[in-house]
Amino acid sequence: MNLREGHIAIAVDAMGGDFAPAAVVEGALDALAAAPGRFAILLVGVQESIERELARFSGRTAALRSSGALQVVHAPEVIAMDDQPNAALKTKRNSSIGVGLALHRDGTAQAFVSAGNTGAVLSASTLILGRIRGVGRPTIGALIPTAQTPCLLVDAGANVDCRPRHLYEFGVMGSAYVGAMLGKDRPAVGLLSIGEEETKGNEASLQAFALLKASELNFIGNVEGRDILKGAADVVVCDGFVGNILLKFGESVPGFFKAKFLRYASRGILNKAVALVARRGMRTVMKELDYQEHGGVPLLGVNGVSIIGHGGSTPKAVKNMILRADEMVERRVNQNIEATLHALPDGAS
Amino acid sequence: MNLREGHIAIAVDAMGGDFAPAAVVEGALDALAAAPGRFAILLVGVQESIERELARFSGRTAALRSSGALQVVHAPEVIAMDDQPNAALKTKRNSSIGVGLALHRDGTAQAFVSAGNTGAVLSASTLILGRIRGVGRPTIGALIPTAQTPCLLVDAGANVDCRPRHLYEFGVMGSAYVGAMLGKDRPAVGLLSIGEEETKGNEASLQAFALLKASELNFIGNVEGRDILKGAADVVVCDGFVGNILLKFGESVPGFFKAKFLRYASRGILNKAVALVARRGMRTVMKELDYQEHGGVPLLGVNGVSIIGHGGSTPKAVKNMILRADEMVERRVNQNIEATLHALPDGAS
């Protein structure tokens, strides 16, 4: 296999995540196997550690390395999962995150993927890649399951205090992403609030409502907490404070039912049987919530493609993150965002 | 049965709720039957409508009426469920809500209960009863189930944009309520935020953290979205925007699983059996979420006891609201709130 001209290269943070570098290296090889010849991978990190992991797969790596489809780029420093993001970025200038993003900025790579320290990847991506023209606040979206197709909750926690203009931008970026990546034509954008009526909301959401209404988006108005899982909107806009709380609450629901089922099961043998079956059924239903399947969340609004993965990313999750990065480059999500933001009515801020 | 001196009288909005006055009248009679001789009930509303409902239970009402345990107070106007609260309160000065609360303010009744227009009950309660000294914003709390004992989420939607001082007050009021009503000694108060660390939060929550930390409450710091259902705190403090969204999201979870189970069941006969059992197990587990059981939410911070019920309140829900109102009077929740607020460090605002 030879890498052809014009193909995409993806910089992968080999040191990012709880199971790095082992899980990242394995996931990268799986991604190359899943889409042979489509993209090259640059594994960025402590060379010695990466080579040690690669040695475990020597049978698979020889051809990939000689074709250039798999390269190792040394970055001597590692930002730990619990490092304070901005401090770490200042003191560890040659981290895998910094070096990987620089490769993307310089055009050596067309995307960057990391399961490392979320705050650091977020800050460094904005700093190194810069923002798309018109974007005040890059954002992280999270795909959540609904009774219909999944919807993108945006912002998922990157921006805590938001002005109306920021909420509007989240709608634009979310719509562009869902449109391009999930193949939705004119995704339905809803503003998360406390009532359907235009007059219901807090100060920021009421003003954001007006901006979204005046935009070219397919804005369906306010959606309430109860509408999300029904699939009322393809994109649900909120600030990162609400988004983070809601997502973490949602993540805790299966554990809550598990605890309840266990208590229920303790009340007799028949209950036990019912609880067992119920939990099995629920697990099956919950599978689509599995972050490994959708592999990471996109950082939207930066001049480039930067995918942030779960700290606990497995090889499968890493593989899917890489495949998603490749897709995001192909589908030109950022061009779409820039075009929509330019259509904003004057004077909105 | 004769009503003794010094017993409590509870004013009940006979016109409030989707099934009023039928469901309210029936629920009131059930409450009197459940706690004979403990309290009197003043049914407030359009006399003719109330009498028509009472006529259905003539066997049960004669003795109650002659003893004074059941009285009807005429209020000619009705605030509809979808009336704009403040406008309705102005134009309908003799509504069942206004008259019932006036009975409470004047000391004829010691509590007020309504399943009517939430916004109108909230506004009228604050206006007519006034606020407890030290309270800037009365609040509505909602009891939610956890893997442990239920916790009170406060504010549940009454106050959308909140200053740090308001969040602090919610903690004080929630703690007093849970302490008195659920018999918790020094309830654990958590501040809903996006990370456990003191430095995580939005502008308002960061400042509220400092106020709560300096208070006499059993403040356990920030809690995250995922901690609520685990039962990490007895009282979870947030603004009403977040609280409303979270509560409505939570209410929609069973419906989401139902939709998922149905889809799963459609994939074969074995799946169908599993889904059936799973749904049955889940329904059992969900029973404790039933609002009918806990019957309404307390309005905290007003000079009196005002319980607000679900619009769809059944006789059972109404009965439980009345029993709860009686309990709240007995347990002197408001005195507790006032005492704690007085202990606030100076200068907090």
Side-chain angles (χ1 to χ4, degrees):
Chain A
M1 189 201 81
N2 272 301
L3 200 71
R4 287 163 306 199
E5 272 298 303
H7 267 209
I8 292 170
I10 298 171
V12 175
D13 173 10
M15 316 309 287
D18 301 331
F19 310 120
V24 180
V25 167
E26 189 176 340
L29 292 174
D30 290 347
L32 288 168
R38 260 187 84 119
F39 48 79
I41 287 180
L42 313 178
L43 286 171
V44 186
V46 179
Q47 181 142 20
E48 198 188 335
S49 310
I50 299 173
E51 293 292 354
R52 197 178 309 128
E53 294 302 327
L54 283 172
R56 290 165 46 215
F57 305 95
S58 51
R60 292 165 64 183
T61 54
L64 291 168
R65 296 190 76 163
S66 68
S67 74
L70 181 65
Q71 299 166 39
V72 177
V73 179
H74 181 56
E77 288 166 323
V78 178
I79 294 181
M81 297 304 277
D82 55 357
D83 275 350
Q84 203 285 318
N86 291 324
L89 288 171
K90 265 184 205 150
T91 53
K92 299 176 180 175
R93 296 208 168 259
N94 291 308
S95 71
S96 54
I97 294 173
V99 171
L101 282 164
L103 287 169
H104 182 9
R105 180 196 55 205
D106 300 344
T108 309
Q110 282 67 50
F112 175 71
V113 163
S114 174
N117 184 314
T118 302
V121 176
L122 179 65
S123 292
S125 296
T126 307
L127 218 70
I128 295 172
L129 302 177
R131 291 170 293 173
I132 293 174
R133 199 154 57 104
V135 171
R137 294 263 191 97
T139 182
I140 296 177
L143 272 182
I144 54 179
T146 79
Q148 325 279 331
T149 52
C151 88
L152 189 77
L153 187 79
V154 60
D155 183 289
N159 300 287
V160 164
D161 288 294
C162 292
R163 289 211 303 253
R165 160 82 199 198
H166 301 139
L167 295 171
Y168 160 77
E169 288 174 17
F170 301 160
V172 171
M173 295 189 268
S175 177
Y177 182 81
V178 168
M181 298 292 286
L182 305 187
K184 287 252 180 188
D185 190 35
R186 293 185 56 65
V189 177
L191 179 63
L192 192 55
S193 191
I194 57 170
E196 285 180 12
E197 307 89 330
E198 190 167 341
T199 54
K200 291 279 179 76
N202 62 11
E203 282 175 26
S205 82
L206 290 172
Q207 291 180 47
F209 190 104
L211 291 176
L212 287 161
K213 198 177 170 187
S215 76
E216 292 183 346
L217 298 174
N218 177 18
F219 179 54
I220 61 166
N222 285 340
V223 294
E224 298 187 70
R226 68 166 71 94
D227 301 322
I228 302 174
L229 294 177
K230 286 182 190 156
D234 300 311
V235 178
V236 172
V237 173
C238 59
D239 71 38
F241 190 78
V242 174
N244 174 292
I245 288 169
L246 205 53
L247 284 168
K248 287 183 179 160
F249 181 82
E251 280 171 18
S252 76
V253 167
F256 167 73
F257 281 113
K258 187 177 163 185
K260 289 293 177 196
F261 280 142
L262 285 176
R263 188 159 319 159
Y264 173 69
S266 72
R267 290 191 214 121
I269 186 77
L270 185 64
N271 280 9
K272 194 164 187 165
V274 170
L276 251 173
V277 177
R279 278 188 58 197
R280 182 172 313 216
M282 213 167 116
R283 251 203 304 271
T284 310
V285 161
M286 294 305 290
K287 258 202 186 141
E288 67 180 88
L289 281 161
D290 190 352
Y291 73 90
Q292 294 187 46
E293 298 298 331
H294 44 81
V297 295
L299 172 57
L300 299 169
V302 294
N303 254 327
V305 170
S306 180
I307 304 260
I308 301 180
H310 196 289
S313 286
T314 57
K316 184 179 178 183
V318 171
K319 179 191 81 174
N320 284 331
M321 280 165 70
I322 294 169
L323 295 176
R324 171 171 290 199
D326 171 52
E327 227 178 306
M328 236 184 115
V329 176
E330 293 279 342
R331 300 200 181 179
R332 305 168 67 85
V333 173
N334 287 355
Q335 285 85 334
N336 192 331
I337 292 174
E338 195 173 341
T340 315
L341 282 175
H342 278 189
L344 176 70
D346 282 347
S349 65
Chain B
M1 189 201 79
N2 273 301
L3 198 70
R4 287 164 307 199
E5 271 300 303
H7 267 208
I8 292 170
I10 299 172
V12 176
D13 174 11
M15 315 309 286
D18 301 332
F19 310 120
V24 181
V25 167
E26 188 177 341
L29 292 174
D30 291 347
L32 287 168
R38 257 188 84 121
F39 48 80
I41 288 180
L42 314 177
L43 285 171
V44 186
V46 180
Q47 181 143 19
E48 199 189 334
S49 309
I50 298 174
E51 293 292 354
R52 197 180 309 126
E53 295 302 328
L54 282 173
R56 290 164 47 215
F57 305 95
S58 52
R60 291 166 63 184
T61 53
L64 290 169
R65 296 190 76 163
S66 68
S67 74
L70 182 65
Q71 301 167 38
V72 177
V73 179
H74 182 56
E77 288 167 322
V78 177
I79 294 181
M81 296 304 276
D82 55 357
D83 275 350
Q84 203 284 320
N86 291 323
L89 288 171
K90 265 183 203 148
T91 54
K92 299 177 180 173
R93 296 208 168 258
N94 291 308
S95 71
S96 53
I97 294 173
V99 171
L101 282 163
L103 287 170
H104 182 9
R105 180 196 54 204
D106 301 343
T108 310
Q110 282 68 47
F112 175 71
V113 163
S114 174
N117 184 314
T118 302
V121 176
L122 180 63
S123 291
S125 296
T126 306
L127 219 68
I128 295 172
L129 302 178
R131 291 170 292 173
I132 293 175
R133 200 155 54 106
V135 171
R137 294 263 192 96
T139 181
I140 296 176
L143 271 182
I144 54 177
T146 77
Q148 324 279 330
T149 52
C151 88
L152 189 78
L153 188 79
V154 59
D155 183 289
N159 300 286
V160 163
D161 287 295
C162 292
R163 288 211 304 252
R165 160 82 199 198
H166 302 137
L167 296 171
Y168 160 77
E169 288 173 17
F170 301 160
V172 170
M173 295 189 268
S175 176
Y177 182 81
V178 168
M181 298 292 286
L182 305 187
K184 286 251 180 188
D185 190 34
R186 293 185 56 66
V189 177
L191 179 64
L192 192 55
S193 190
I194 58 169
E196 286 181 10
E197 307 87 332
E198 189 167 343
T199 54
K200 291 281 179 72
N202 63 11
E203 282 175 27
S205 82
L206 291 172
Q207 290 179 48
F209 190 105
L211 290 176
L212 287 162
K213 199 177 168 185
S215 76
E216 291 183 346
L217 298 174
N218 177 18
F219 179 55
I220 61 166
N222 285 340
V223 294
E224 298 187 69
R226 67 166 71 95
D227 301 322
I228 302 173
L229 294 178
K230 286 183 191 157
D234 300 311
V235 178
V236 172
V237 173
C238 60
D239 70 39
F241 190 78
V242 174
N244 174 292
I245 289 169
L246 205 53
L247 285 169
K248 287 183 180 160
F249 182 83
E251 281 171 17
S252 76
V253 167
F256 168 73
F257 280 113
K258 186 177 165 186
K260 288 295 177 194
F261 280 142
L262 285 175
R263 189 158 320 158
Y264 173 68
S266 72
R267 289 190 214 120
I269 185 79
L270 185 62
N271 280 7
K272 194 164 185 165
V274 170
L276 251 174
V277 177
R279 277 188 58 197
R280 179 172 313 216
M282 216 169 115
R283 251 203 305 270
T284 309
V285 161
M286 295 303 292
K287 259 201 185 143
E288 67 179 89
L289 280 161
D290 190 352
Y291 73 90
Q292 294 188 47
E293 298 299 332
H294 45 82
V297 295
L299 173 55
L300 299 170
V302 293
N303 253 328
V305 170
S306 181
I307 304 262
I308 302 179
H310 196 287
S313 286
T314 57
K316 184 180 179 183
V318 171
K319 179 191 81 174
N320 284 330
M321 280 165 70
I322 294 169
L323 296 177
R324 172 172 290 200
D326 172 51
E327 226 179 308
M328 235 183 116
V329 176
E330 293 278 342
R331 299 200 181 180
R332 306 169 65 84
V333 173
N334 288 355
Q335 285 85 334
N336 191 332
I337 292 173
E338 195 172 343
T340 315
L341 282 175
H342 278 190
L344 176 69
D346 282 347
S349 63

